Amino acid sequence: MTNDENIVLMKADLDQIDLVADLFDKYRVFYEQPSNLEEGKKFIRERMENQQSVIFLAIEKQASSVRPLGFVQLYPSFSSVNLAKILILNDLYVDQSARRSGVAKSLMQKAKEHALETGAKELTLETASDNHKAQHLYELIGYEKDAEHFYYNLLLN
């Protein structure tokens, strides 16, 4: 985890929407989407207002400022086969300036704690096949690569 006592993990709410939206926009750009801060902010706001996701935010508190470092976003779902609630870890992003500092690992731990506290039986995620740094982190903290299933997508627009 992080060794910096100025770094705080928190469940984000509408009071932190600007901090989350800034990171969310950078996250989307990382995945080769055009920057669109306002639409991203609207998307995050709708998820929060409708209680459709949970976002944990890592911030660095300094004397008179707060700097967003990273976030993780979880979406609830269910497994019919396992008759259980699951959480989809859909988004994880750490600002370039905070990478390799333990922020991502701390956010992943917070996601796991939330999953256990809410009775989820599984925490699932996907990442790009060339995102080797993320894959290394996931495997380091206990995630197992699924070698039995293929995933398909049907883009509708």
Side-chain angles (χ1 to χ4, degrees):
M1 307 318 162
T2 65
N3 295 325
D4 189 336
E5 64 221 27
N6 295 328
I7 296 177
V8 176
L9 296 180
M10 61 192 307
K11 183 176 176 182
D13 60 28
L14 291 173
D15 291 338
Q16 292 84 37
I17 189 80
D18 290 329
L19 299 175
V20 174
D22 179 59
L23 290 168
F24 187 69
D25 190 59
K26 291 176 182 177
Y27 167 77
R28 293 185 66 254
V29 169
F30 176 82
Y31 278 104
E32 301 177 2
Q33 298 301 308
S35 175
N36 192 331
L37 186 60
E38 286 309 310
E39 283 298 310
K41 185 175 179 177
K42 178 182 172 193
F43 181 86
I44 293 295
R45 178 180 300 282
E46 288 173 356
R47 301 297 72 74
M48 288 179 170
E49 288 176 344
N50 295 312
Q51 299 179 354
Q52 295 171 326
S53 74
V54 173
I55 298 173
F56 291 102
L57 178 65
I59 58 171
E60 181 179 40
K61 286 188 167 186
Q62 307 217 332
S64 61
S65 66
V66 172
R67 182 171 70 105
L69 302 176
F71 77 98
V72 63
Q73 183 165 209
L74 306 166
Y75 290 98
S77 189
F78 298 90
S79 169
S80 300
V81 172
N82 295 315
L83 303 173
K85 175 183 176 179
I86 64 171
L87 290 177
I88 300 169
L89 193 156
N90 203 70
D91 310 311
L92 172 67
Y93 180 78
V94 175
D95 189 76
Q96 186 90 26
S97 66
R99 293 190 185 152
R100 303 195 59 80
S101 68
V103 170
K105 194 172 183 180
S106 294
L107 286 166
M108 295 293 291
Q109 179 61 34
K110 193 70 170 169
K112 179 181 176 183
E113 290 169 8
H114 177 75
L116 290 168
E117 289 168 5
T118 60
K121 299 298 181 202
E122 182 178 319
L123 193 52
T124 187
L125 63 84
E126 67 178 76
T127 191
S129 59
D130 64 351
N131 193 345
H132 302 291
K133 290 180 182 179
Q135 292 168 32
H136 177 72
L137 170 65
Y138 302 148
E139 292 171 11
L140 182 71
I141 60 177
Y143 282 73
E144 296 178 12
K145 186 187 252 184
D146 186 335
E148 297 180 25
H149 302 95
F150 290 107
Y151 296 91
Y152 295 89
N153 298 302
L154 177 62
L155 299 178
L156 301 174
N157 19 340

